[in-house]
Amino acid sequence: MDETEFWEIVDSAREAADGDPDEQADLVVERLAQLDPEAVLDFARHFETRFARAFRWDLWGAADIMLGGADEESFDFFRCWLIGQGRHVFEGALAGPDDLAFLAPEFDPETDGDAEDLGYAADEAYEQLTGVRLPDLELPGQGAPEGERLDFDDEAAMASRYPHLWSRFG
């Protein structure tokens, strides 16, 4: 599975689920369960690579503003949600986290930003296909978030760094 196929699965499931992250995860599992185990492993590698790419302080700051606070677990779920929004939103957010104010115009902090189940979709599909757990993907560990650590409690600094998100959610 190449990157285009990965994003096609993510996008088609999101559209069919009408943006509901739980339904999207279920649809991804259904779609992956129709493929061979190697394709599911490829999907998992694509997902985990993007999940790791989004482990950055600047994105964590954006999540903190959008969610009204983001601990490590909620940031993990936010990164799953971000991948679930598709290539355009994901790459746009990496290029400029403050642009999420425009890239996710219908974001509701009460119902969006948590797509934990999407992070387990490949695991579930692989287990359905093979009867065993998804093997270790042998990808590098995460370590610390990339970039400069932010003080999420410094409202002036956060407002200055994320003017669009701050005016919308701060």
Side-chain angles (χ1 to χ4, degrees), residues 20-143:
D20 179 303
D22 292 332
E23 179 67 20
Q24 181 183 15
D26 291 343
L27 292 169
V28 168
V29 171
E30 286 178 23
R31 175 84 185 269
L32 292 176
Q34 296 172 9
L35 304 175
D36 63 78
E38 192 59 39
V40 176
L41 285 170
D42 288 343
F43 181 93
R45 285 184 194 98
H46 282 292
F47 192 94
E48 289 301 319
T49 298
R50 276 139 197 86
F51 188 76
R53 281 182 60 206
F55 195 49
R56 301 176 6 185
W57 284 112
D58 58 351
L59 280 173
W60 199 337
D64 189 74
I65 293 170
M66 292 173 77
L67 298 172
D71 61 13
E72 188 169 349
E73 183 177 80
S74 59
F75 182 49
D76 285 348
F77 302 161
F78 179 86
R79 290 185 290 153
C80 292
W81 172 85
L82 187 60
I83 295 165
Q85 298 310 294
R87 177 184 265 169
H88 175 73
V89 173
F90 180 79
E91 295 296 342
L94 264 62
D98 192 42
D99 291 343
L100 279 166
F102 311 110
L103 293 168
E106 297 179 25
F107 185 89
D108 179 349
E110 298 298 318
T111 58
D112 293 321
D114 179 353
E116 176 184 13
D117 290 346
L118 188 57
Y120 298 112
D123 300 78
E124 192 173 325
Y126 191 85
E127 195 164 332
Q128 284 180 21
L129 286 169
T130 65
V132 297
R133 297 181 71 168
L134 187 83
D136 183 3
L137 300 174
E138 300 179 13
L139 298 172
Q142 278 192 161

